Amino acid sequence: MTDIEYHLTNGKEVTKMLKKNHADQERVDIDGYGMWWGAYDNGKLIGCCGARIVGQTTLRIKGLFVAKEYRGQGIGSKLTDWALGGAVFIFTPKRITAFATDMSKPIFEKCGLLLDHTNKNGIHFMKKEVA
């Protein structure tokens, strides 16, 4: 494996990659709206994390996904760090939220998001107040 590169990407490329990897079966939000950061291996998009403003002051982290063969290497954590850092700098939100699966919940917890509640479908609602 080569060094993974991280940078902003576009929603169309993200949506195509998510659909190709059947991310909807893992309950990942596959719409292309918002800002997206991508992880690339030799030019191939292998992971993503998005952010969008909801209302006036809430930043939602969304669509965290890493292709199966790349999981367990810290790529999801790094993508989340990039998305949070870039989006918080640009938008200066008062609150950060995320919808998490069992797989992404530990990543969001490492970033300081706390569990608010879990719905009947097993989706965890995470949040963090920003000072």
Side-chain angles (χ1 to χ4, degrees):
M1 182 176 73
T2 61
D3 289 331
I4 303 298
E5 295 180 10
Y6 299 86
H7 55 79
L8 281 169
T9 190
N10 68 66
K12 286 182 181 181
E13 186 176 9
V14 165
T15 301
K16 182 178 176 182
M17 186 270 296
L18 290 173
K19 286 181 179 179
K20 178 182 175 191
N21 285 280
H22 308 288
D24 57 325
Q25 293 174 6
E26 296 181 29
R27 298 181 285 182
V28 174
D29 179 1
I30 63 170
D31 77 51
Y33 296 110
M35 296 181 69
W36 289 94
W37 286 261
Y40 291 83
D41 183 12
N42 203 23
K44 176 185 172 188
L45 181 62
I46 52 97
C48 61
C49 187
R52 70 188 292 181
I53 287 292
V54 179
Q56 296 291 318
T57 59
T58 300
L59 176 71
R60 175 153 310 133
I61 300 299
K62 57 182 249 145
L64 175 60
F65 182 82
V66 176
K68 287 182 182 179
E69 62 271 24
Y70 291 91
R71 293 179 185 170
Q73 301 176 39
I75 295 168
S77 294
K78 193 153 189 176
L79 280 165
T80 304
D81 287 344
W82 274 77
L84 280 171
V88 167
F89 178 76
I90 293 167
F91 298 118
T92 60
K94 294 184 180 178
R95 173 181 292 154
I96 300 169
T97 64
F99 300 144
T101 62
D102 289 340
M103 200 176 327
S104 62
K105 183 176 175 268
I107 295 171
F108 292 128
E109 288 173 332
K110 286 180 192 174
C111 294
L113 279 78
L114 302 174
L115 177 64
D116 183 59
H117 67 280
T118 302
N119 73 13
K120 65 181 181 179
N121 297 317
I123 299 296
H124 309 290
F125 293 83
M126 313 287 293
K127 69 178 182 178
K128 175 183 179 177
E129 301 299 324
V130 180

